[in-house]
Amino acid sequence: MEIPANEKAAILAQALPYIKRYAGKTIVVKYGGAAMVNEGLRAAVAEDLVLMAAVGIRAVLVHGGGPEIDSMLRRVGKEPVFVGGLRYTDEETMEIVQMVLAGKVNKDLVGLLGRAGGKALGLCGLDGGLLSAARMGKGGAAGGQQSDLGLVGDIRAVNADVLRRALDGGYVPVVATVAGGLDGDPNSYNVNADTAAASIAVALGAEKLVLLTDVPGILRDLGDSGTLIKEMPRSGIEALVREGILSKGMIPKVECCARAVDGGVGRAHIIDGRVPHALLVELFSDAGIGTMIS
Amino acid sequence: MEIPANEKAAILAQALPYIKRYAGKTIVVKYGGAAMVNEGLRAAVAEDLVLMAAVGIRAVLVHGGGPEIDSMLRRVGKEPVFVGGLRYTDEETMEIVQMVLAGKVNKDLVGLLGRAGGKALGLCGLDGGLLSAARMGKGGAAGGQQSDLGLVGDIRAVNADVLRRALDGGYVPVVATVAGGLDGDPNSYNVNADTAAASIAVALGAEKLVLLTDVPGILRDLGDSGTLIKEMPRSGIEALVREGILSKGMIPKVECCARAVDGGVGRAHIIDGRVPHALLVELFSDAGIGTMIS
Amino acid sequence: MEIPANEKAAILAQALPYIKRYAGKTIVVKYGGAAMVNEGLRAAVAEDLVLMAAVGIRAVLVHGGGPEIDSMLRRVGKEPVFVGGLRYTDEETMEIVQMVLAGKVNKDLVGLLGRAGGKALGLCGLDGGLLSAARMGKGGAAGGQQSDLGLVGDIRAVNADVLRRALDGGYVPVVATVAGGLDGDPNSYNVNADTAAASIAVALGAEKLVLLTDVPGILRDLGDSGTLIKEMPRSGIEALVREGILSKGMIPKVECCARAVDGGVGRAHIIDGRVPHALLVELFSDAGIGTMIS
Amino acid sequence: MEIPANEKAAILAQALPYIKRYAGKTIVVKYGGAAMVNEGLRAAVAEDLVLMAAVGIRAVLVHGGGPEIDSMLRRVGKEPVFVGGLRYTDEETMEIVQMVLAGKVNKDLVGLLGRAGGKALGLCGLDGGLLSAARMGKGGAAGGQQSDLGLVGDIRAVNADVLRRALDGGYVPVVATVAGGLDGDPNSYNVNADTAAASIAVALGAEKLVLLTDVPGILRDLGDSGTLIKEMPRSGIEALVREGILSKGMIPKVECCARAVDGGVGRAHIIDGRVPHALLVELFSDAGIGTMIS
Amino acid sequence: MEIPANEKAAILAQALPYIKRYAGKTIVVKYGGAAMVNEGLRAAVAEDLVLMAAVGIRAVLVHGGGPEIDSMLRRVGKEPVFVGGLRYTDEETMEIVQMVLAGKVNKDLVGLLGRAGGKALGLCGLDGGLLSAARMGKGGAAGGQQSDLGLVGDIRAVNADVLRRALDGGYVPVVATVAGGLDGDPNSYNVNADTAAASIAVALGAEKLVLLTDVPGILRDLGDSGTLIKEMPRSGIEALVREGILSKGMIPKVECCARAVDGGVGRAHIIDGRVPHALLVELFSDAGIGTMIS
Amino acid sequence: MEIPANEKAAILAQALPYIKRYAGKTIVVKYGGAAMVNEGLRAAVAEDLVLMAAVGIRAVLVHGGGPEIDSMLRRVGKEPVFVGGLRYTDEETMEIVQMVLAGKVNKDLVGLLGRAGGKALGLCGLDGGLLSAARMGKGGAAGGQQSDLGLVGDIRAVNADVLRRALDGGYVPVVATVAGGLDGDPNSYNVNADTAAASIAVALGAEKLVLLTDVPGILRDLGDSGTLIKEMPRSGIEALVREGILSKGMIPKVECCARAVDGGVGRAHIIDGRVPHALLVELFSDAGIGTMIS
């Protein structure tokens, strides 16, 4: 490394105010996209989370795993089916979803964090009743003629006790977004990972929700990264939607941020997971990165 | 129910000495066989564990899941291969083993315990560095010309901190027997569930290790259940092996019991998981059930 | 016992929901009548209390001891005198009351619980200032021309700290209903045990007050046990009194229950102490026993 | 009071080193004799104990009550019988002993301490299994032809948990010297109060055992209080006995002191309970009072 | 000492109610005047504070040190300058003030308390951000044409965490009245010790504020100590000022007391530090000493 | 800053292993020389200590202050006198030493750390009996005819309780090297700061002792910084002294390191305080800085 040791030390010293600001605070990270697929980025995310834990941040990692699910479905001879952007989830699909998310993606991440020097705990929504969901309603939010999606669930209850205990013990909880049923319903449900992350952030009274995405943040003009909105109030979201500035993929993410802020989370961030160490850049520098909604 | 309420109350009162004896003690249960496959037995095991937790027993459930692994392997077009009774585990098989054990069997058990009124936490050996293993040695214990089994591991280290915290919080830890590698080795390993249960029992200083099996215990004459050995000292095991009394399937189970007792576990039990509520019968009655080694 | 072990285990498993419901809750039992005189019933009550403590219930036993007091008075040559159902208590009588309740009945119960495997602590209202009373007023509740009863007291203050500490330590407090005076008054007072139990239940924020009596509960027709009122709201009590359904002996017991419920106790029960293990039947079965007021 | 306030303040200031020395230490006081009978002395002892508790001393009061037992026995028409200085204790006598000690003397002391501003807890050896005894052996320590004394017991086990909890809660435990039986033996036993105090002091690892007596301490010449032995090593006791210097009544007291010191108690004191505030004089002045054995 | 030991013990016993009343309570003592200069009085104050700590009082000592500052200023060749009774404090003076108060007076007191058997901790307002001040405003409280006093400060914030921790650890905090600046202001400020004591008493929710002065208390007629006002309500202060009864030096002291009482301190006392053991006389006798405002 | 944010983040990530290694460990820093005089270096040291505290290091700062003492002595008209490198310390000098170290240098450092965002607590050896010393012996270590140095002390006892409590509370203790006397000796003593730091490091069982000096470390050839000894075993020190490699000023520093390592401190470092952020460079980089003795 060509940067001399004392300059590095000066950089560490510059991080001090941020370290102090976030010590003891809870930060929920929704993990996905390129940062989850690219090996170098994966390693950097693991380092970032372990560093966050080391300086006293209570970090929670929430993940989905669409590509791995698709690939496993195909291995057992099922073609993935999507309806209005949501995965059609029959019982067989759900079995695969649970296995892949809770058994493969989740535990692989736990192992990765462990090798990076952290202590991680792999959970899904069934553990300690963390996430309970009901079948997503026909004629639900999107109104009109909604197709049946099978075992896709809406989160109805969060019991964060298991997360708090893990965080108290110095563990980084890694959460696969599979939820249990309500009141004795024995089904598992496939729940949206952004929404799960927002619900968990609210339940924990988190300081921040950070969504790692494959875009630089909210752009006024999708084609021009110079139009990044660095900061916006939660109250400005409706206008953005109305004005048609938000892309179709961005709308649910922004709505998650809104839900988190409405639930008492201090700040929600949409950041670019393709930037190495994007989490540390966001947390430990003046400039931050991506779009902050508060 | 034909048994009148006050007779039931008398039965509860009779359980008192056992409840008092085990309160605060750790009991590790290796779960497998019929008790895991038959739905009624599964429900009874769940009730038993939740009751154990309710009366203050620190219960840990350790499980494998051979049949589910075989079935999933076949769904992806792989025929299960066994060498000397052990599963040949190439990387693709290991991926399936981890997914099925940690993502399906484990989380399904967690859900079942939750619906029975308990608080369960589904873990595998990767979580919090619980189980670390090394590739089973060529020219190992069985001596002679041992075939390479791939990612089958011998447990080398147990870090039970994550279990202790879960038990302190009133959770029943449910452990899938997948282990991590040592010193940065990124592989996961397939480890024997009986051995894992014994190792965990030793690490926790458990009062009891209970192996739920499909036999009544150790029989002097396999064909005659009247020849059940109810109790035997650990020192008597070598003689039994020498005399050829133990069946081939029983030998590794008895060796696990020996290892547990040698490691300081108070008592090891081989009991008949086909009997409903076999755990409660063993724990809360004078007679006990199966074979006790101490 | 002719009931096979696994059926017994099933019965234990059935008790699970009740065990879970009451764990950590406080239950105050007023002990008296046949259950205190009959040796077999006494032993069963002791077992019940020790079991309750073993499964995490915070149980408090409150007792009087009329027959033993009468017998001791006669041994010192005094004939017991009652006025309007209340014991006339001159100083000499009070000395005997205190000795018999706090020194004999109380400590004998403590010994009995100890031999049943429990840890009990024998207290009276003087210990740690638990119960403070003032002389029952002339022209008091019953109105009209009330005779002077001597050192019979009305409870004016309860300091439950000593009970809470005993319960925290896993002890079953056994309370003899002798109260101290207020503000330096050196007299001890004879207080009603039902009332004392209700006052203690209120002070501890108990979940339940259970009065062990010699009747099946509140009967609409005293001669017909088929007319048992299994459940009634606290608001229904006044009507019962007005309609003359309650016997003279039952009225003060029901009023105690009303006072307890008014003071925040969840439920008050009048149950039949002549049934062996009546406490366990009440707590750990669907049917319950006797009359519940809530 | 003729002593001016600032001189009193100076006296308080002089007590400082003693207050500091004993803060947090355990002191077991055997209470008896004139200090228990005389009303003024009783009040002073109560004040002393409450002050000791207030300055952080963990004080335990152990008492017998011979005169009150005799008087009660006579009220029920039994003449007290003594054999070799020990009370012959048949079952009826034991019943009276327990009632008088645990129900009258003990609870009256608790009330007295309460009115003096303290928090006291009245216990006997049955509570929490504090003292367990076996029938005093025929052909026991004194050898030769020993008469049967009935339910007179030798202490065999002390479970001081209940005392420690009471002391932790800021209570002064007051202990009546009635012991329970061993291993299910339902008898209560009459045990010597000096011995009980010594056993309790050993079990608690007390700093001091103080015996309040009706003599100035150990005198070389019984008739001359100028021959008081102020301090002596435990090793000097045998010589004193051999030389016949100890009176018959003093020998068992001195032996109790020896037993306490042998069991790890720092110092044992025989002091004159007829001196008002003898405890404070002993604890909080240079001179001390009576005889100290260490 | 001519007072016999048991009379001393009786005096101790008389102090009991006061010891009990103040145990666990916080008492802030402003130390100054003769009691700080006279060696015998200094020793007595040290004894008093150590005794207070020994009987469980949470005592805080706050001090100034005018004479020592004057003397040191003269040693470096500066003549002390006062404007309207307040020290003109240029930077060089402030340096001396801080050194003398925090380095000499404070640490000498800590040593004195240590030699008297206590555990003391010497702090100033900079430690742990205990006292933050802003430059005393021009045109401030005294109105009109106020001269600039340099680094004389008004206390604006108190962070008592460091005091609470010290008290929890059994230490007597000794506080030199030097304050830090606000918001990065690197100056130290000279603050009035009476005011600092009152602010600290309010921040700690103290039971009492005691000002040790060189007068007997508030006198209706300064020349006649028989006109001492022993007790007065806080509401009576304005009238006293209006009527011109308070001397010029007494007015700020009384205003401090008012501020303390307004801020929730139970009682404020102005007592005569020239009386040996004045603190103990005030705390541990019926009569008290000086003037109490509540 | 020209270094881009994500490169800074990478540098933070590189610090991770060091942060993890030292979290919860105690590091005692002896502060002096240029790093204490130069304003920019002082600010960097303050930042370093606050960062160390923020990442969970239990940091203790020990300082002397020769130049400030000299300057103050001159202001009061005394010329500093040194004998054999040690300050001749008469009573008047000692008064100045204490005032300057504990009142000026110490509290100024506390203020500096506070403004850098830390919580610091300024102590000297008198506080809580932290350091007790005896007058340095005539005919002491240096042998021969040693002159009397006045109130120069050898540390004889360290009571680190006050430091542990401060560290537990998240404070950085800043210690001025003035010690109290032993056994009632009312003198304060001037003690060597390197020695005090070593004694404190031993008493706290520190992981590291770091001496901030004005040299690059131990050089084989004083004129050639390329001859820096980066690492050496404690056992090699005697040889270095014998060979005359160590300069006169370096010998006592190396002896302090030896004493620390002998007392159980993991590693002792002599580093160059003239390098900005030297502490962070030492702690958080592979290369380290200066000479390490272990």
Side-chain angles (χ1 to χ4, degrees), chain E residues 152-270:
Chain E
V152 174
D154 276 331
I155 292 171
R156 294 292 169 82
V158 181
N159 179 348
D161 176 63
V162 71
L163 297 181
R164 273 188 217 99
R165 289 189 165 272
L167 292 166
D168 289 349
Y171 290 88
V172 176
V174 179
V175 182
T177 50
V178 171
L182 288 164
D183 303 324
D185 166 7
N187 289 308
S188 294
Y189 290 92
N190 179 12
V191 293
N192 179 268
D194 292 329
T195 315
S199 300
I200 285 170
V202 168
L204 289 171
E207 180 75 9
K208 267 185 199 286
L209 167 68
V210 181
L211 306 182
L212 277 177
T213 68
D214 287 354
V215 292
I218 304 179
L219 302 177
R220 288 205 167 269
D221 173 352
L222 266 181
D224 177 3
S225 71
T227 64
L228 174 70
I229 299 175
K230 294 205 149 198
E231 244 183 276
M232 62 176 296
R234 184 255 172 272
S235 57
I237 291 178
E238 276 75 14
L240 277 190
V241 174
R242 255 190 342 259
E243 295 167 23
I245 285 167
L246 297 177
S247 70
K248 239 172 99 179
M250 186 56 80
I251 289 177
K253 294 196 176 290
V254 171
E255 282 174 347
C256 271
C257 292
R259 205 172 313 172
V261 171
D262 291 347
V265 174
R267 293 163 174 206
H269 298 258
I270 296 170

Side-chain angles (χ1 to χ4, degrees), chain C residues 147-161:
Chain C
S147 317
D148 177 25
L149 290 163
L151 295 168
V152 174
D154 276 331
I155 292 171
R156 295 290 169 82
V158 181
N159 179 348
D161 176 64

Side-chain angles (χ1 to χ4, degrees), chain E residues 19-176:
Chain E
I19 289 173
K20 290 178 59 69
R21 181 187 305 161
Y22 296 119
K25 299 288 167 48
T26 301
I27 296 182
V28 175
V29 178
K30 158 61 203 327
Y31 185 39
M36 202 158 151
V37 175
N38 176 290
E39 201 166 332
L41 292 173
R42 275 167 63 91
V45 167
E47 283 178 359
D48 292 4
L49 281 161
V50 177
L51 183 69
M52 286 162 66
V55 299
I57 294 172
R58 296 164 69 91
V60 178
L61 191 67
V62 179
H63 67 86
E68 290 86 346
I69 294 169
D70 291 351
S71 142
M72 192 67 202
L73 282 172
R74 291 195 179 101
R75 274 164 77 184
V76 300
K78 274 182 88 85
E79 196 51 33
V81 180
F82 289 86
V83 181
L86 296 170
R87 183 186 301 281
Y88 174 75
T89 309
D90 58 16
E91 286 204 15
E92 192 188 4
T93 303
M94 187 60 227
E95 187 190 6
I96 298 292
V97 165
Q98 180 182 312
M99 272 201 303
V100 169
L101 292 188
K104 180 171 166 48
V105 180
N106 184 268
K107 299 302 182 186
D108 285 352
L109 283 170
V110 164
L112 184 68
L113 287 164
R115 289 191 302 277
K119 296 195 306 178
L121 197 59
L123 304 170
C124 74
L126 296 163
D127 292 294
L130 173 54
L131 298 173
S132 301
R135 204 178 184 113
M136 193 174 273
K138 304 188 178 186
Q145 179 71 25
Q146 189 175 343
S147 316
D148 177 26
L149 290 163
L151 296 169
V152 174
D154 276 331
I155 292 171
R156 294 292 169 82
V158 181
N159 179 348
D161 176 63
V162 71
L163 297 181
R164 273 188 217 99
R165 289 189 165 272
L167 292 166
D168 289 349
Y171 290 88
V172 176
V174 179
V175 182

Side-chain angles (χ1 to χ4, degrees), chain F residues 10-211:
Chain F
I11 288 164
L12 271 173
Q14 286 163 24
L16 175 60
Y18 306 99
I19 288 174
K20 290 178 59 72
R21 181 188 305 161
Y22 296 120
K25 298 289 166 48
T26 300
I27 296 181
V28 175
V29 177
K30 158 62 203 325
Y31 183 40
M36 202 160 151
V37 174
N38 175 290
E39 201 165 332
L41 291 173
R42 277 166 63 90
V45 167
E47 282 178 0
D48 291 4
L49 281 161
V50 176
L51 182 70
M52 286 161 67
V55 299
I57 294 172
R58 297 164 68 91
V60 179
L61 191 66
V62 179
H63 67 87
E68 290 87 347
I69 294 169
D70 290 352
S71 141
M72 192 68 202
L73 282 172
R74 290 194 181 103
R75 273 163 79 184
V76 301
K78 275 184 88 85
E79 196 52 31
V81 180
F82 290 86
V83 181
L86 295 170
R87 183 186 302 281
Y88 174 74
T89 310
D90 58 16
E91 285 204 16
E92 193 188 4
T93 303
M94 187 61 227
E95 187 191 6
I96 299 292
V97 166
Q98 180 182 311
M99 273 201 303
V100 169
L101 291 188
K104 179 171 165 50
V105 179
N106 184 268
K107 299 303 182 187
D108 285 353
L109 283 170
V110 164
L112 184 68
L113 286 164
R115 288 192 302 279
K119 295 195 307 176
L121 197 59
L123 304 170
C124 74
L126 297 163
D127 292 294
L130 173 55
L131 298 174
S132 302
R135 203 177 185 116
M136 192 173 272
K138 303 186 180 189
Q145 178 73 26
Q146 191 176 345
S147 318
D148 177 26
L149 290 163
L151 296 169
V152 174
D154 275 330
I155 292 170
R156 294 291 169 82
V158 181
N159 179 349
D161 176 62
V162 70
L163 296 181
R164 273 189 216 99
R165 287 187 167 273
L167 292 166
D168 289 348
Y171 290 88
V172 176
V174 179
V175 182
T177 51
V178 171
L182 287 164
D183 304 323
D185 166 5
N187 288 308
S188 293
Y189 290 93
N190 180 11
V191 294
N192 178 267
D194 291 329
T195 316
S199 300
I200 285 170
V202 168
L204 288 172
E207 180 76 8
K208 268 185 198 284
L209 168 68
V210 181
L211 306 183

Side-chain angles (χ1 to χ4, degrees), chain B:
Chain B
M1 176 78 25
E2 62 291 8
I3 302 176
N6 62 340
E7 226 167 293
K8 287 191 197 169
I11 288 164
L12 271 172
Q14 286 163 24
L16 176 59
Y18 306 98
I19 288 173
K20 290 178 60 71
R21 182 187 305 160
Y22 297 119
K25 299 288 166 48
T26 300
I27 296 181
V28 175
V29 177
K30 158 62 203 327
Y31 184 39
M36 204 157 149
V37 174
N38 175 291
E39 202 166 330
L41 291 173
R42 277 166 64 91
V45 167
E47 282 177 1
D48 291 3
L49 281 161
V50 176
L51 182 69
M52 286 161 66
V55 300
I57 294 172
R58 296 165 69 89
V60 178
L61 191 67
V62 179
H63 67 88
E68 291 87 347
I69 294 169
D70 290 352
S71 141
M72 192 68 203
L73 282 172
R74 290 194 181 102
R75 275 163 79 184
V76 301
K78 275 183 89 85
E79 195 53 31
V81 180
F82 290 87
V83 182
L86 296 169
R87 183 186 301 282
Y88 173 74
T89 311
D90 57 17
E91 286 204 16
E92 192 188 4
T93 303
M94 187 61 227
E95 187 191 6
I96 299 292
V97 166
Q98 180 182 311
M99 272 202 301
V100 169
L101 291 187
K104 179 172 166 46
V105 179
N106 185 268
K107 300 303 183 186
D108 285 352
L109 282 169
V110 164
L112 183 68
L113 286 165
R115 289 193 301 278
K119 297 195 305 177
L121 198 59
L123 304 170
C124 73
L126 296 163
D127 292 294
L130 174 55
L131 298 173
S132 301
R135 204 176 183 116
M136 193 173 273
K138 303 184 180 190
Q145 179 73 26
Q146 191 176 343
S147 317
D148 178 24
L149 291 162
L151 295 168
V152 174
D154 275 330
I155 292 171
R156 294 290 169 82
V158 181
N159 180 348
D161 175 63
V162 70
L163 295 181
R164 271 188 219 100
R165 287 186 167 274
L167 292 166
D168 289 348
Y171 290 88
V172 176
V174 179
V175 182
T177 50
V178 170
L182 287 164
D183 303 324
D185 167 6
N187 288 308
S188 293
Y189 289 92
N190 179 11
V191 293
N192 179 268
D194 291 327
T195 315
S199 300
I200 285 170
V202 168
L204 290 170
E207 180 76 6
K208 267 183 198 285
L209 168 68
V210 181
L211 306 182
L212 277 176
T213 67
D214 287 354
V215 292
I218 304 178
L219 302 177
R220 289 205 167 268
D221 174 351
L222 267 181
D224 176 3
S225 71
T227 64
L228 175 70
I229 299 174
K230 294 204 149 196
E231 245 183 277
M232 63 174 295
R234 184 255 172 271
S235 58
I237 291 177
E238 277 74 14
L240 278 189
V241 175
R242 255 191 339 261
E243 295 166 25
I245 285 168
L246 297 176
S247 69
K248 240 172 97 176
M250 185 56 80
I251 289 176
K253 292 196 176 292
V254 171
E255 283 175 346
C256 271
C257 292
R259 204 172 313 175
V261 171
D262 291 345
V265 174
R267 294 161 173 209
H269 298 259
I270 296 170
I271 71 173
D272 192 343
R274 298 166 306 181
V275 175
H277 298 297
L279 282 168
L280 296 192
V281 174
E282 165 45 38
L283 291 173
F284 295 132
S285 70
D286 281 338
I289 187 173
T291 300
M292 178 180 85
I293 298 166
S294 62

